[in-house]
Every structure is written in C-alpha cells, then in structure tokens.
C-alpha cells in the first residue's frame, strides 16, 4: 500500500506496514532533529517509539508483530546495502537476519494449537530494536513473560501442547529415537500430549517446522550440543509425565514404580533412578534445629512431579531466549541512536475455564486499555482544551475501578492472594472466603451461592464478564520448585541442567 512505500497516503484504518512505517519515520525525524541541533545522534530517549500489538485471542497478533519486525529489517537492510557494497562488507545485514530467525525458535518452544488458533503464542513478548543514527538496526533484545506452564501438564481437550514436542516426534532420526528412548512412540503414546488433537488445521507440518527451527538455531549461534541437549530435555519432560506412583500398604506414603518410562526420565535428566524416587516421594522438614523426612502421598508426589516438569521446561525456555539474545544484542561499543519497542501481548481471554493465568492476562489487558484511554481520549481532549480548540468531549469508559479490584494495595485480589501465600496453612477454600468477604461490596465483583460452593467468582472487565475459579491459585502464584527438586537437579550429570538454571 501507499503507507508501506512511505508516501503521504490518505488516512486509513490501522495497518501493520503503515504503523511500522510511521514509527520508523517518527524515530528518524527525531534523530535528524537532534543532529541538526548539534548533537551526535546518540540516543537520549526522545526519539524512541513503541508499537503495541493487541487483540482478542486468535486475532493475528503474532503474525502482525512478525510483519512489523520484518518491515524494520527490510528498511535497515536497504540502508546497509549501499554502505556494504562500497566497503565490501556484509556483516551489518546479518543483524536483521538474526532478528527474524528468532521467530521459528520461539514459536516452537512457546506456541501451541488452541481452540481458536493453530499457532497461538502462549507467552508475552517484548522486542526492543535498537537503531543507529543512519536508521540501520544495531541489535535487539527479547523479553518474555507469562509462559503458560500449566499447559505442559494439562493442555485442553481440543488443543495441543507446545509445538516442539510434536515436531521432535515427527522429525527425530532413528539414531535420535534410540538415544532419546523414543523407539516408535507417537504423540498419543504420551500423557502430556494425549488430548486427542495431534495435527494442525492450518496445514503446517511438524516435521517441516522442526527443520526450520534447527536451521534457525544453527544460524543463531546454538551449538550442536545445545540442540541435542534441548531435544534430550524435551524428551525428559515427556517421560516425567509418564511415571507412576504406587501407594504403600500403610502410612500414606508411596513409591515410584520401576518402569521403562521412569528409568528413561532418570537417564535423560542425568540422575540416578534411586535419587529420582527419593526426591519425588519425600521431602525434608525442619523442626527447630532438627530435620526429618516426611513421606509423600501419591497425590503429593504427582504434584511435585508436575512442578518439576513446569520448572524444567520454563528454565529451558528462558535459556533459549538468552541464547537468542546473545546473537541479536547490539555490541557493547555500538552507538545506539534510538529504539523501537514491539509488544506482542496476550489478547483478552474468556475461556470455558478461567484460572490464574487468565486473570493475569486480563489484568494486563485492563492496564493497556487504561493506557489507551489516557492517551487517545483523555490526553487529546486536554490538549485541545489547552489550545482553545472548540471541542465536544467524547465519553469513554474508565476502567480504573476494575484495576483497583485487581491490584489495589492491601485490598486488591492480587494483594489478598499474596497475603494468603504467606500463611502456612492457607488453602484455596480459605483464599476464596477472603475474596468473598473483602471484595463482595465491589461493583465489579460478584459470586452466586452456587459459585461459592465451587470456589468461583465473576469480574466485570471492560470487555465483559469473566467467571474465574480459584483452584490452585496459591500454588501458581508461589510458582516454587520444591527444594527436593532443586537437590535432585544438583545431582544431575547432564551438562545442560546448570546452564538452564542460570
């Protein structure tokens, strides 16, 4: 379109290329103005731009963010090319390529098929792109947050787990299958993947996706050992989901069944089977200055295993992001004139079951909606009034009361949750009683008698009413890896484990 070519196009609804072009040109005007005023072009923050990509789940946010980054890379490459041709160097263009190569890697480890979208990002992503005074990309940094770790242990019935599991099972060579204890297993053979949904409606092939990921990782600085080790860790997670516990005949304790799956999990994690059993089925409790061992029930051992699965995969995902950043970060001595930030945020969610993850996502969207209101409506109207322009005020919804319900100090839902996490004998039931007692007078909060029985409540968001259940909120908010699991990982001979633990 005209906007993509940078001409003065007529005003049209928001478009990815035009939005990106406007941000880039605004940044360049600021840089040029600083230079014209006698500056050297070094960044002082005044020319920085931000682009927020938001919308409901399945609206195409991730694709739009990729289009924007690709557009910046194209603009930068065109500015790099003439200088590179005259100097005989092409190093500058690799920065743009490295930035785009991060997409298939992050999508493999952080995207999944959901009810609405076959390639849904299950994490938030902020990409900060730094530019030189001539408008070329100097480097970038990727920040991620809110990875949906609960998907690892309980994906939806009509959804998939993370793409990487299916990609590896589709693309593993006979040698890899032997080394990773996969034999002839397929997704339906693993509990963590056995949702009844295995393919993708968009026609994308898992085997091809894996090849693209490996190619991108190779070009992004991942060593062959890194890639082999990440494959191994992915399989360790799958086999941890396969292990079984058996209740002891008395005393409420349990033991880890000695089966091929549990043996494979131990070997892939680089720990002894006996250590895996000990750390998953018992914990050390302090009593004054003394310590004693408490045996765990089958249900408690399963919870510890789930915590280990989520923590291990989450740490691996963070390691992948760190390695990507190592390849795209600007050199320490590089002069940066300005930045453009691109935020790809979860859309507002109202699912069949809404839990702690959804309240976090929707809280973020409430805050963004208020930011939008403040800048697009309130600030513009106040500017018009200051300049004496005739203006009829536009009414717009103010969602500050929703934010107060969620995040107000001492009385908000998140503050009450943090408070209950400190108490040693708190429970989901006690947490809900606190919500019902302390929040029932708030106009945005409600809970029927039926909902109270099942630990549920409603919040009236700007986008509509959402029913939440509070089961496991305490556990998810703490997001703690049991000390026994940390001790288990400390015994590992697997070289990747210390790296992912930072």
């Amino acid at each position: 379109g005209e906007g993509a070519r940078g001409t003065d196009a007529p005003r049209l609804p928001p478009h990815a290329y035009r939005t990106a072009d406007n941000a880039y040109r605004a940044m360049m005007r600021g840089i040029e103005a600083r230079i014209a005023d006698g500056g050297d072009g070094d960044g002082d923050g005044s020319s920085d731009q931000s682009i927020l990509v938001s919308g409901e789940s399945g609206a195409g946010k991730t694709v739009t963010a990729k289009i924007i980054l690709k557009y910046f890379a194209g603009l930068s490459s065109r500015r790099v090319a003439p200088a590179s041709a005259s100097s005989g160097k092409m190093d500058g263009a690799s920065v743009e390529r490295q930035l785009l190569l991060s997409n298939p890697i992050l999508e493999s480890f952080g995207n999944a098929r959901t009810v609405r979208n076959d390639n849904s990002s299950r994490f938030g992503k902020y990409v900060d792109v730094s530019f030189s005074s001539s408008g070329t990309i100097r480097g970038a940094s990727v920040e991620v947050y809110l990875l949906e770790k609960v998907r690892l242990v309980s994906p939806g019935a009509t959804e998939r787990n993370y793409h990487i599991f299916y990609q590896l099972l589709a693309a593993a060579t006979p040698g890899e299958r032997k080394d990773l204890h996969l034999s002839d297993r397929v997704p339906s053979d693993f509990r963590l993947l056995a949702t009844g949904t295995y393919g993708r409606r968009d026609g994308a092939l898992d085997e091809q996706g894996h090849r693209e990921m490996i190619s991108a990782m190779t070009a992004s600085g991942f060593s062959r050992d890194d890639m082999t080790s990440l494959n191994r860790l992915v399989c360790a997670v799958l086999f941890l989901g396969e292990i079984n516990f058996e209740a002891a005949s008395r005393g409420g304790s349990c033991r880890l069944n000695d089966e091929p799956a549990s043996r494979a999990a131990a070997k892939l994690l680089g720990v002894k089977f006996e250590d895996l059993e000990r750390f998953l089925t018992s914990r050390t409790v302090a009593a004054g200055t003394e310590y004693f061992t408490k045996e765990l029930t089958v249900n408690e051992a399963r919870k510890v295993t789930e915590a280990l699965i989520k923590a291990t995969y989450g740490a691996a995902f963070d390691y992948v992001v760190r390695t990507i950043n190592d390849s795209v970060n600007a050199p320490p001595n590089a002069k940066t004139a300005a930045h453009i930030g691109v935020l790809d945020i979860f859309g507002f969610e109202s699912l069949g079951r809404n839990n702690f993850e959804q309240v976090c996502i929707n809280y973020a969207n409430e805050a963004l909606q208020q930011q939008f209101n403040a800048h697009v409506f309130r600030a513009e109207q106040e500017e018009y009034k200051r300049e004496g322009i005739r203006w009829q005020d536009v009414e717009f919804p103010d969602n500050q009361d929703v934010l107060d319900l969620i995040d107000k100090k001492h009385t908000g839902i998140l503050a009450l949750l943090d408070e209950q996490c400190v108490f040693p004998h708190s429970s989901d039931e006690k947490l809900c009683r606190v919500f019902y007692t302390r929040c029932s007078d708030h106009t945005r909060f409600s809970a029927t008698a039926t909902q109270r029985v099942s630990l549920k409540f409603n919040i009236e968001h700007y986008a509509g009413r959402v029913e939440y259940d509070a089961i496991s909120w305490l556990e998810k908010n703490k997001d703690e890896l049991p000390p026994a699991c940390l001790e288990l990982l400390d015994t590992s001979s697997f070289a990747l484990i210390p790296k992912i633990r930072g």
Side-chain angles (χ1 to χ4, degrees):
E2 290 295 313
R5 292 196 294 270
T7 60
D8 293 328
R11 191 164 184 85
L12 298 171
H15 186 281
Y17 290 116
R18 183 150 184 85
T19 301
D21 193 71
N22 287 342
Y24 185 84
R25 290 176 181 279
M27 175 191 73
M28 291 306 300
R29 284 195 298 271
I31 294 172
E32 290 162 3
R34 285 205 312 273
I35 294 174
D37 289 340
D40 60 2
D42 284 354
D44 60 2
S46 62
S47 303
D48 293 351
Q49 304 290 315
S50 294
I51 298 176
L52 167 63
V53 184
S54 72
E56 66 179 13
S57 181
K61 298 180 297 298
T62 298
V63 172
T64 301
K66 286 196 291 186
I67 287 171
I68 290 169
L69 292 174
K70 189 173 182 179
Y71 186 73
F72 290 151
L75 289 174
S76 176
S77 295
R78 286 200 293 273
R79 289 175 178 257
V80 167
S84 299
S86 61
S87 66
K89 296 181 180 180
M90 292 301 294
D91 294 340
S94 67
V95 179
E96 293 81 8
R97 181 167 177 264
Q98 299 281 13
L99 178 59
L100 298 179
L101 284 172
S102 67
N103 289 319
I105 305 170
L106 291 174
E107 288 180 12
S108 293
F109 284 89
N111 286 27
R113 171 179 168 171
T114 63
V115 173
R116 296 184 179 181
N117 185 355
D118 274 34
N119 191 32
S120 176
S121 295
R122 307 316 301 161
F123 63 100
K125 178 174 69 175
Y126 178 74
V127 182
D128 183 88
V129 186
S130 56
F131 293 85
S132 69
S133 58
S134 63
T136 59
I137 293 177
R138 283 295 194 198
S141 64
V142 180
E143 184 177 345
V144 298
Y145 47 90
L146 281 179
L147 177 68
E148 189 184 39
K149 288 185 280 190
V150 69
R151 176 172 295 272
L152 292 160
V153 295
S154 56
T158 58
E159 301 186 345
R160 299 206 315 176
N161 217 310
Y162 289 106
H163 292 329
I164 185 63
F165 297 116
Y166 308 88
Q167 291 178 184
L168 179 57
L169 289 171
T173 65
E176 288 173 328
R177 284 187 166 273
K178 180 180 178 182
D179 293 341
L180 299 173
H181 304 272
L182 293 174
S183 60
D184 59 352
R185 286 175 178 259
V186 294
S188 58
D189 294 323
F190 290 97
R191 287 178 191 150
L192 299 185
L193 310 182
T195 63
T197 300
Y198 304 108
R200 289 177 59 166
R201 296 159 295 192
D202 59 4
L205 300 177
D206 290 315
E207 184 175 359
Q208 176 64 24
H210 197 69
R211 285 198 295 267
E212 291 174 0
M213 181 200 74
I214 293 297
S215 176
M217 291 177 105
T218 301
S220 297
F222 287 79
S223 68
R224 182 166 293 279
D225 283 346
D226 279 337
M227 292 183 278
T228 299
S229 295
L230 284 167
N231 283 343
R232 175 178 166 180
L233 195 69
V234 165
C235 289
V237 166
L238 288 176
F239 281 107
L240 282 171
E242 294 297 293
I243 64 179
N244 298 297
F245 298 94
E246 183 177 319
S249 56
R250 59 181 181 177
S253 61
C254 69
R255 66 179 182 84
L256 174 62
N257 288 357
D258 190 349
E259 298 170 334
S262 49
R263 289 280 176 180
K267 189 167 184 179
L268 290 167
L269 283 174
V271 300
K272 296 178 181 178
F273 174 82
E274 294 75 18
D275 288 338
L276 182 66
E277 177 178 35
R278 176 163 59 92
F279 286 116
L280 293 184
T281 61
S282 65
R283 71 167 177 259
T284 301
V285 179
T289 59
E290 297 183 354
Y291 295 87
F292 64 94
T293 299
K294 180 183 184 299
E295 303 295 329
L296 302 181
T297 65
V298 169
N299 188 55
E300 289 171 333
R302 286 175 180 158
K303 288 289 186 184
V304 173
T305 305
E306 288 183 357
L308 179 59
I309 288 171
K310 291 186 285 188
T312 302
Y313 190 89
F317 184 69
D318 290 340
Y319 175 74
V320 167
V321 174
R322 288 199 303 272
T323 307
I324 288 172
N325 278 330
D326 287 342
S327 74
V328 299
N329 282 168
N333 59 347
K335 287 189 175 182
T336 298
H339 300 258
I340 300 181
V342 180
L343 176 63
D344 175 8
I345 182 75
F346 289 103
F348 185 84
E349 291 194 344
S350 181
L351 311 178
R353 182 192 176 207
N354 300 290
N355 203 262
F356 183 62
E357 293 80 10
Q358 279 66 50
V359 84
C360 291
I361 290 167
N362 292 342
Y363 165 54
N365 278 273
E366 288 284 359
L368 290 170
Q369 180 67 25
Q370 187 186 60
Q371 183 82 351
F372 178 84
N373 288 346
H375 282 274
V376 175
F377 292 112
R378 186 179 297 117
E380 283 295 315
Q381 291 184 163
E382 290 175 357
E383 180 70 19
Y384 279 23
K385 289 176 182 177
R386 280 196 300 271
E387 295 181 5
I389 299 173
R390 293 182 61 185
W391 174 260
Q392 183 175 354
D393 283 352
V394 176
E395 293 293 327
F396 58 90
D398 186 354
N399 64 337
Q400 182 58 51
D401 56 343
V402 192
L403 290 170
D404 287 344
L405 170 63
I406 298 172
D407 71 0
K408 192 170 184 178
K409 193 174 182 179
H410 304 309
T411 61
I413 283 174
L414 296 180
L416 297 176
L417 173 60
D418 287 340
E419 179 181 87
Q420 289 299 306
C421 284
V422 176
F423 298 147
H425 300 295
S426 191
S427 65
D428 295 333
E429 292 79 5
K430 290 179 181 178
L431 173 65
C432 268
R433 284 202 295 271
V434 171
F435 286 166
Y436 300 146
T437 301
R438 304 277 291 275
C439 302
S440 58
D441 292 337
H442 199 288
T443 56
R444 296 280 193 161
F445 181 94
S446 63
T448 66
T450 302
Q451 286 177 314
R452 291 175 186 241
V453 171
S454 52
L455 307 184
K456 295 179 180 179
F457 59 88
N458 306 311
I459 294 179
E460 293 283 349
H461 290 281
Y462 78 90
R465 175 181 293 186
V466 178
E467 179 187 71
Y468 297 97
D469 77 57
I471 296 172
S472 301
W473 277 37
L474 292 169
E475 174 190 340
K476 291 176 179 179
N477 189 49
K478 292 177 182 177
D479 195 23
E480 292 178 340
L481 184 61
C485 290
L486 292 173
E487 293 178 41
L488 171 66
L489 295 177
D490 283 341
T491 71
S492 174
S493 60
F494 184 12
L496 183 63
I497 295 297
K499 292 182 182 180
I500 67 172
R501 290 188 61 190

